[in-house]
Amino acid sequence: IPAEQEFLQGLRDLCDRNNLLLIFDEVQCGIGRTGHPFAFQHYGVTPDVITLAKGLGAGVPIGAMTVGGKAAGILQPGDHASTFGGNLLSCTAAEVVLKRLGMKGFLDAVKAKGETLRGLLEQLKKEQDVITDVRGVGLMQGIALNIPAGEVTKACMEHGLLLVAAGPQVVRFVPPLTVSEEEIHRAVDILGSVLRQLAQVQR
């Protein structure tokens, strides 16, 4: 469920009034997932701390924390120990990811593919009564259902489509940023076929 502008701005104002740090968890929504380098850029609300992982290493384990503003001078070198800090493989993977993210047209393509995914899911919602809502940003989308999400993800997997549930009645879509338009269409076709089959069983 995407955050609302007023909510995030309210958090920023609350933290500023009370000398608190505003921390955004961008482990899933960061690193281009929403069509911007960071999801907070959609809202014009800048946090003091951002946490990153997952997409930063493109499958290679890595975690990072970036700081700015009043948080910038809190930690000094050596304050935060890390067993695997500075791991060469992980850092090299992150470097490759960040270079790819900065390539001309890459994020524009992510935005376009996100719009394609959203449009296809909205169209499927019109055709399938089991879908009650479509929500998300960029290549991070979800559909709310009036049937168990687990049944949908299991059936999709049997047809070659890997999806995950986000709660008992929500199916989440977080394809790789390099997904093709053709793969998006194929994925939604499989989903549509599965939903039609499950709807018939429900009847």
Side-chain angles (χ1 to χ4, degrees):
I1 302 174
E4 294 181 359
Q5 171 80 32
E6 296 78 10
F7 172 72
L8 294 180
Q9 187 59 61
L11 288 179
R12 177 74 274 173
D13 294 342
L14 182 67
C15 289
D16 290 342
R17 286 197 310 270
N18 293 280
N19 195 30
L20 301 170
L21 294 179
L22 179 60
I23 302 173
F24 283 178
D25 174 359
E26 297 229 11
V27 165
Q28 286 193 51
C29 61
I31 311 298
R33 171 65 53 192
T34 63
H36 286 285
F38 303 104
F40 79 83
Q41 293 172 302
H42 284 276
Y43 301 96
V45 177
T46 304
D48 302 300
V49 179
I50 304 169
T51 59
L52 301 167
K54 295 188 178 182
L56 180 61
V60 177
I62 190 171
M65 178 181 72
T66 64
V67 299
K70 59 189 173 188
I74 294 175
L75 289 178
Q76 300 298 321
D79 286 350
H80 188 286
S82 175
T83 302
F84 297 105
N87 178 279
L88 292 177
L89 174 62
S90 297
C91 290
T92 300
E95 182 181 19
V96 171
V97 168
L98 294 174
K99 282 182 178 177
R100 185 73 179 268
L101 208 64
M103 288 174 58
K104 186 176 180 181
F106 183 79
L107 286 176
D108 289 335
V110 171
K111 288 177 188 174
K113 289 182 279 193
E115 290 170 5
T116 296
L117 176 59
R118 179 60 175 252
L120 291 172
L121 292 175
E122 291 282 7
Q123 182 59 42
L124 193 59
K125 178 180 180 290
K126 293 177 184 176
E127 301 168 5
Q128 298 288 330
D129 292 340
V130 295
I131 301 176
T132 60
D133 192 21
V134 178
R135 57 200 186 211
V137 180
L139 284 178
M140 189 174 195
Q141 299 286 334
I143 55 170
L145 306 164
N146 59 21
I147 60 175
E151 293 180 13
V152 176
T153 58
K154 181 181 178 184
C156 282
M157 192 177 300
E158 291 170 356
H159 288 80
L161 175 61
L162 178 61
L163 296 173
V164 293
Q169 292 185 296
V170 176
V171 173
R172 182 178 56 165
F173 301 80
V174 283
L177 305 189
T178 55
V179 67
S180 68
E181 294 272 347
E182 180 184 355
E183 288 168 330
I184 292 172
H185 280 268
R186 185 172 168 219
V188 177
D189 284 345
I190 293 172
L191 174 64
S193 176
V194 163
L195 291 179
R196 283 187 287 274
Q197 292 173 10
L198 291 176
Q200 289 176 354
V201 170
Q202 294 286 328
R203 294 191 186 102

